[in-house]
Amino acid sequence: ASTQKPSEPEMDDCLETLKDEEEALWENVECNRHMLSRYINPAKLTPYLRQCKVIDEQDEDEVLNSLMLPSKINRAGRLLDILHTKGQRGYVVFLESLEFYYPELYKLVTGKEPTRRFSTIWRKDTKLQQQVKTKDVQRCELLAKSRQLEDERKQLKLNKIELLTFQERYNKMKEERNNYNDELVKVKDENYNLAMRYAQLSDEKSMAVIRSRDLQLEVREMFWGALGRSSNRGCWWHLGKGDSRKVWSSHLLCLSR
């Protein structure tokens, strides 16, 4: 059997009927628009409305962040206008969100008590979403911590290289210092030896001076003894009191003879 397609007048009648039904549904919302706009916080409803794909990101941004909507009442009214354009689907999802977040307003619009089934499912779904968000936040924190630790590891590696360089320079300077200390010890030993040699030479000089004086005394004694003997032989002559040097030279000449 062949299926007969509905005629264009029948299609128009069906569309008109659906449109009337949607308007009838939204009539309950429009009748309570003042109360809904006054008590609804759009920021609570938009996550669920987006999840159900009734509104998109652009709609949510307009409702929550538009400068043309300065108050919460204006934002709630704009959300109702956007949902009204979504037809029956927008109406159903809006009622579901009211049932969960605003059960008293749900009862005001529908005249029915909120059911527990939707609330339980939405709470579980919301809980799972929160857990996923928490996991994402933790993952981001772990990634940030990992990057931080990697940066710290690189910095520690650079510090280690720098420390090794300083250690090498320190060892080299320590070796040079030890060499200088050895040289200093040698110089001190040399200075000590020179001081001892100087003291020895000073003692020898003192002994030589004493010996020289003793010799001078001996020479004088020998001279005066020889002078006395030479006087007896006729080798002495008197040249006067002012010619002592000549007398001395003459005495030495006589001694040498």
Side-chain angles (χ1 to χ4, degrees):
S2 61
T3 57
Q4 185 178 2
K5 294 182 180 180
S7 61
E8 292 183 1
E10 292 177 350
M11 289 290 294
D12 294 339
D13 291 340
C14 290
L15 293 175
E16 189 68 25
T17 302
L18 291 174
K19 187 175 180 180
D20 292 340
E21 290 178 356
E22 291 175 3
E23 291 298 331
L25 294 174
W26 280 103
E27 186 65 26
N28 294 329
V29 175
E30 293 298 330
C31 290
N32 298 281
R33 185 181 183 91
H34 176 71
M35 293 293 291
L36 293 173
S37 300
R38 183 177 179 182
Y39 291 105
I40 285 177
N41 183 2
K44 278 189 175 182
L45 304 185
T46 51
Y48 179 73
L49 298 176
R50 279 200 61 186
Q51 179 182 343
C52 295
K53 298 182 180 180
V54 174
I55 63 173
D56 55 19
E57 182 179 0
Q58 183 178 356
D59 294 331
E60 182 181 24
D61 183 68
E62 179 185 355
V63 171
L64 299 181
N65 303 317
S66 176
L67 298 178
M68 302 298 294
L69 306 172
S71 66
K72 181 171 71 67
I73 293 177
N74 298 135
R75 293 193 291 272
R78 179 55 185 158
L79 178 61
L80 292 177
D81 294 337
I82 293 174
L83 290 174
H84 198 168
T85 62
K86 307 301 179 179
Q88 185 176 1
R89 172 68 176 166
Y91 177 77
V92 172
V93 175
F94 173 64
L95 289 184
E96 290 176 352
S97 63
L98 284 183
E99 184 179 9
F100 177 68
Y101 287 108
Y102 302 100
E104 294 298 328
L105 295 178
Y106 173 83
K107 183 178 180 181
L108 177 66
V109 174
T110 63
K112 301 176 182 178
E113 293 292 338
T115 60
R116 294 294 181 182
R117 182 180 62 85
F118 170 74
S119 298
T120 303
I121 294 174
W122 174 238
R123 285 193 183 95
K124 289 182 178 180
D125 185 66
T126 303
K127 185 177 181 180
L128 289 175
Q129 289 183 4
Q130 291 297 329
Q131 291 176 352
V132 170
K133 290 182 179 179
T134 302
K135 294 294 182 182
D136 290 340
V137 171
Q138 292 176 352
R139 183 174 63 86
C140 293
E141 291 177 351
L142 289 175
L143 288 175
K145 186 65 175 179
S146 177
R147 295 191 189 97
Q148 181 181 358
L149 292 175
E150 181 65 19
D151 293 339
E152 291 179 357
R153 186 187 68 82
K154 292 179 180 179
Q155 185 62 40
L156 288 175
K157 187 176 180 179
L158 293 176
N159 292 342
K160 181 180 178 182
I161 295 175
E162 185 176 2
L163 181 61
L164 291 175
T165 303
F166 286 145
Q167 184 68 33
E168 183 178 356
R169 291 178 57 188
Y170 169 76
N171 292 334
K172 185 176 181 180
M173 294 175 66
K174 185 177 180 181
E175 183 179 358
E176 292 178 352
R177 187 203 64 180
N178 293 334
N179 294 333
Y180 290 147
N181 284 337
D182 294 339
E183 293 181 2
L184 179 62
V185 171
K186 291 180 181 179
V187 171
K188 286 183 178 179
D189 292 339
E190 291 177 357
N191 288 339
Y192 177 77
N193 293 332
L194 289 174
M196 294 298 294
R197 180 61 179 165
Y198 176 78
Q200 183 180 356
L201 291 175
S202 296
D203 293 339
E204 292 178 356
K205 179 181 178 182
S206 298
M207 294 298 294
V209 171
I210 295 173
R211 181 61 180 165
S212 175
R213 289 177 182 175
D214 292 340
L215 289 175
Q216 287 180 1
L217 291 175
E218 291 179 2
V219 169
R220 284 184 180 182
E221 291 177 357
M222 291 175 64
F223 171 75
W224 290 115
L227 181 62
R229 289 193 295 273
S230 61
S231 298
N232 296 329
R233 294 193 191 105
C235 294
W236 168 257
W237 62 90
H238 182 70
L239 295 178
K241 295 181 180 180
D243 297 330
S244 60
R245 290 184 180 179
K246 293 182 179 181
V247 173
W248 180 261
S249 298
S250 298
H251 291 338
L252 289 177
L253 180 61
C254 291
L255 288 173
S256 62
R257 290 178 180 177

